[in-house]
């Protein structure tokens, strides 16, 4: 069993303020696989002080963006050198299939960091405009100390979305990983040290929600970047609102995949199933409402059931596994609660609905398809965060758009059709932050985030960097020539 007794603060591994520890439990074997130091309020205070010192007096915000990009490139190299270890660690701590971990948990994280390295080199942090009185210098300055709070489902990826932008901007960071997934963050800390990121620029305090809230309230923190549930996001937004603290929120989703009546079903399901069931259904962007025309409803439902039955459940370390366990027993309780609610509301289970008989330990739930779902049902409106799909019939394209938009959420979505023009018209009409015609994609050079209750602000693209920058205008005398 791994034991980590120290916290990464101020560039050193320091003793925590208390003897509290977090047990990391394998969702597959249900055994404790690691014990790590748990941060408390005093540790957050110490981490914020280190980040503050690094911001107010350290080299990081004063380096040129190109100098910062060189250090970030070294960090990328240090993470890439440990890519396999990172993938195995994430699978062991939260249960993602190992093939998904290699690709989406680790390779995608490295691609995001690489994007921010390039953006740091290319972005115009300053420009000069013709002002009314003379030249006006517009600068984009780092926001200060950023508190970054991340969930357990894609822990490294969500961290890098924040860290890449913060580092490129010249901000300093206190990162709070979720208590379920502190182990990948320990490898990240070692990579930060190996890459020569200056002391105090990134500090890491694994802890639970109360300690997370202490970070949110901390008067010496300038900005909070949060990814997690909509309920927690509301609370965090209200605290930041009181304090007028900058805040970006990446929250839940209940995205709709619209299968138009001209779609080729074979190609559609090959593309759609990974987007619907990835990460054991624990993805904010999962396409969990599938909208099918009444004219082809039975045919589409049968095809979905066939594809879901073929979605192999098993040990997440097995490369053939497509669906592993849920992160924790309480998460399985939650998903089973929704399955019971769907039955009660009158939807029909076309496959799954129980626990896989072959799995003797672990928090597994069978991939499940509900048919005859009405969009007003709880299983169509609330984020289940498990491998549970709802197939909803629609009358015509207008009805499909109405159903897709009748949601408190607006994070992702897709449309499947033989006619890309028709698909683009649908894409324009759905109120959601990320959309794909005939596929499931997330472009790193473009803004990612939510409409409605799916969040506030954007990550990725230049917009993601700007969430860590404060614009400033400096007015200069007429005739002054800026060098
Ligand atoms: P969660 O909200 O319970 O916890 C997320 C993180 O916030 C954890 O680190 C937790 O300790 C911390 N936290 C919780 N309450 C807090 C509070 N009041 N103050 C400060 N910190 C607090 O969410 P979860 O169950 O870990 O993650 C699943 C959720 O995350 C889902 O709703 C999912 O859709 C969402 N998510 C969204 C995105 C996105 O980009 N939009 C990406 C991944 C996950």
């Amino acid at each position: 069993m791994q034991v980590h007794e120290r916290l990464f603060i101020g560039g050193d591994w320091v003793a925590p303020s208390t003897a509290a520890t977090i047990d990391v439990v394998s969702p597959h074997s249900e055994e404790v696989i690691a014990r790590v130091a748990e941060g408390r309020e005093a540790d957050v205070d110490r981490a914020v002080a280190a980040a503050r010192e690094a911001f107010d007096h350290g080299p990081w915000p004063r380096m040129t963006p190109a100098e910062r990009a060189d250090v970030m490139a070294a960090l990328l190299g240090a993470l890439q050198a440990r890519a396999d270890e990172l993938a195995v660690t994430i699978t062991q701590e939260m249960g993602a299939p190992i093939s998904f971990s290699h690709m989406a948990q680790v390779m995608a994280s490295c691609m995001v960091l690489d994007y921010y390295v390039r953006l740091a080199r290319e972005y115009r942090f300053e420009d000069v405009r013709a002002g009314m009185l003379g030249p006006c210098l517009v600068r984009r300055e780092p926001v200060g100390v950023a508190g970054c709070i991340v969930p357990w489902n894609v822990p490294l990826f969500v961290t890098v979305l924040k860290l890449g932008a913060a580092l490129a901007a010249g901000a300093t960071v206190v990162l709070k990983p979720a208590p379920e997934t502190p182990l990948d963050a320990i490898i990240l800390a070692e990579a930060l040290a190996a890459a020569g990121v200056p002391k105090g620029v990134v500090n890491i305090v694994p802890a639970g929600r109360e300690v997370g809230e202490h970070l949110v309230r901390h008067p010496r923190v300038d900005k909070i970047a949060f990814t997690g549930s909509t309920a927690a996001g509301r609370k965090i937004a209200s605290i930041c609102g009181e304090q007028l603290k900058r805040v970006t929120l990446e929250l839940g989703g209940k995205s709709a995949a619209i299968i138009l009546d001209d779609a080729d079903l074979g190609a559609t399901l090959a593309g759609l199933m990974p987007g619907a069931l990835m990460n054991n259904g624990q993805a904010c962007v999962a396409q969990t409402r599938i909208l099918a025309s009444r004219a082809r409803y039975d045919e589409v439902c049968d095809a979905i059931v066939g594809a879901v039955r073929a979605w192999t459940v098993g040990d997440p370390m097995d490369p053939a596994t497509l669906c592993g366990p849920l992160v924790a027993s309480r998460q399985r309780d939650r998903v089973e609660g929704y399955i019971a609610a769907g039955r009660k509301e009158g939807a029909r289970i076309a496959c799954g609905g129980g626990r896989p008989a072959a799995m003797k330990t672990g928090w597994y739930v069978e991939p499940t398809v509900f048919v005859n779902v009405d969009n007003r049902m709880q299983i169509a409106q609330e984020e289940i965060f498990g491998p549970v799909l709802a197939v909803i019939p629609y009358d015509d394209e207008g009805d499909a758009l109405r159903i897709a938009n009748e949601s408190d959420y607006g994070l992702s979505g897709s449309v499947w059709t033989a006619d890309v023009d028709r698909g683009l018209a649908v894409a324009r009409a759905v109120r959601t932050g990320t959309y794909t015609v005939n596929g499931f994609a997330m472009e790193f050079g473009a803004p990612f985030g939510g409409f409605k209750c799916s969040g506030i602000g954007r990550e990725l693209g230049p917009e993601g960097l700007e969430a860590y920058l404060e614009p400033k205008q400096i007015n200069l005398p007429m005739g002054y020539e800026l060098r």
Side-chain angles (χ1 to χ4, degrees):
M1 185 172 87
Q2 292 183 47
V3 177
H4 299 276
E5 290 172 334
R6 289 172 177 262
L7 299 171
F8 187 71
I9 296 177
D12 294 318
W13 290 98
V14 304
S17 63
T18 72
T21 54
I22 297 170
D23 281 350
V24 182
V25 182
S26 158
H28 170 66
S29 70
E30 303 182 27
E31 284 167 6
V32 176
I33 55 169
R35 185 157 292 153
V36 305
E38 178 178 10
R40 288 290 162 83
E41 281 79 354
D43 302 300
V44 166
D45 292 347
R46 191 169 172 186
V48 171
R52 195 76 258 167
E53 174 66 21
F55 186 78
D56 291 340
H57 305 293
W60 193 251
R62 290 156 196 90
M63 287 161 72
T64 65
E67 288 167 341
R68 286 199 294 270
D70 289 343
V71 179
M72 291 169 66
L75 173 62
L76 173 59
L79 290 174
Q80 282 167 330
R82 299 180 71 176
D84 288 346
E85 187 190 348
L86 275 164
V88 168
T89 299
I90 294 172
T91 287
Q92 287 175 341
E93 61 187 351
M94 58 69 62
I98 189 69
S99 56
F100 182 84
S101 282
H102 279 294
M103 209 179 59
Q105 303 274 17
V106 180
M107 201 172 89
S109 303
C110 291
M111 288 166 71
V112 166
L113 190 55
D114 181 54
Y115 169 73
Y116 278 118
V117 170
R118 284 182 285 124
L119 187 65
R121 296 192 204 285
E122 289 162 14
Y123 186 79
R124 289 181 67 197
F125 287 87
E126 289 192 352
D127 66 279
V128 182
R129 303 179 191 181
M132 283 183 294
L133 303 176
C136 178
L137 173 65
V138 175
R139 275 169 60 78
R140 291 164 201 86
E141 300 186 353
V143 71
V145 173
C148 300
I149 300 176
V150 298
W152 46 262
N153 67 327
V154 266
L156 181 66
F157 183 75
V158 169
T159 296
V160 169
L161 288 177
K162 295 163 179 48
L163 199 61
L167 292 179
T172 61
V173 169
V174 175
L175 169 69
K176 193 204 79 62
E180 294 82 358
T181 49
L183 300 179
D184 61 284
I186 289 170
I187 298 177
L188 171 66
E190 290 167 358
L192 287 158
V197 175
K199 285 179 184 297
V201 170
V202 183
N203 309 274
I204 304 180
V205 184
R209 65 181 51 195
E210 291 79 19
V211 174
E213 209 168 297
H214 182 71
L215 176 61
V216 173
R217 288 187 194 281
H218 206 293
R220 303 187 77 203
V221 170
D222 300 291
K223 176 207 163 79
I224 292 294
F226 172 75
T227 298
S229 61
T230 293
R234 280 186 214 282
K235 182 79 194 290
I236 289 168
S238 71
I239 298 168
C240 292
E242 274 168 30
Q243 298 187 351
L244 296 180
K245 190 172 275 176
R246 282 86 185 103
V247 62
T248 41
L249 304 167
E250 296 285 353
L251 309 176
K254 191 76 190 178
S255 300
I258 303 177
I259 302 179
L260 294 182
D261 49 14
D262 64 354
D264 174 294
L265 269 190
T268 295
L269 292 188
L272 176 55
M273 280 305 122
L277 292 172
M278 66 176 147
N279 211 21
N280 316 336
Q282 299 165 131
C284 55
V285 289
Q287 315 284 296
T288 50
R289 288 187 296 153
I290 302 179
L291 278 46
S293 82
R294 282 190 198 281
R296 292 183 72 187
Y297 190 69
D298 291 344
E299 182 197 351
V300 173
C301 289
D302 288 348
I304 291 172
V305 167
V308 170
R309 286 212 170 108
W311 201 256
T312 323
V313 178
D315 180 343
M317 283 303 292
D318 182 341
T321 292
L322 293 172
C323 185
L326 299 175
V327 69
S329 80
R330 88 180 127 63
Q331 186 68 16
R332 182 170 65 180
D333 292 346
R334 174 191 160 96
V335 172
E336 289 180 338
Y338 277 110
I339 292 174
R343 278 201 175 102
K344 212 167 154 195
E345 285 175 303
R348 184 170 71 78
I349 293 188
C351 74
R355 297 179 181 181
M359 306 312 296
K360 299 301 174 212
T361 62
W363 300 303
Y364 288 86
V365 171
E366 288 176 319
T368 299
V369 178
F370 274 106
V371 298
N372 301 341
V373 179
D374 184 291
N375 194 49
R376 288 164 296 191
M377 290 178 181
Q378 207 184 350
I379 54 164
Q381 285 297 317
E382 296 181 15
E383 184 181 51
I384 298 174
F385 232 54
V388 181
L389 306 179
V391 192
I392 306 172
Y394 66 80
D395 296 329
D396 55 24
E397 205 171 295
D399 195 37
L401 285 173
R402 176 190 64 76
I403 294 169
N405 282 330
E406 270 178 18
S407 172
D408 288 341
Y409 293 113
L411 192 59
S412 176
S414 57
V415 60
W416 305 82
T417 174
D419 180 348
V420 178
D421 288 343
R422 207 176 150 202
L424 179 57
V426 168
R428 288 196 158 113
V430 178
R431 294 195 41 83
T432 188
T434 298
Y435 211 80
T436 307
V437 179
N438 290 342
F440 173 77
M442 185 172 161
E443 177 56 52
F444 299 154
F448 169 74
F451 281 34
K452 302 189 267 183
C453 295
S454 289
I456 295 179
R458 293 293 181 268
E459 295 186 317
L460 290 172
E463 294 83 355
L465 173 61
E466 284 158 5
Y468 292 81
L469 294 169
E470 291 276 11
K472 174 196 257 182
Q473 56 164 291
I474 302 177
N475 297 292
L476 294 157
M478 184 76 80
Y480 180 80
E481 293 224 1
L482 266 158
R483 282 179 298 276

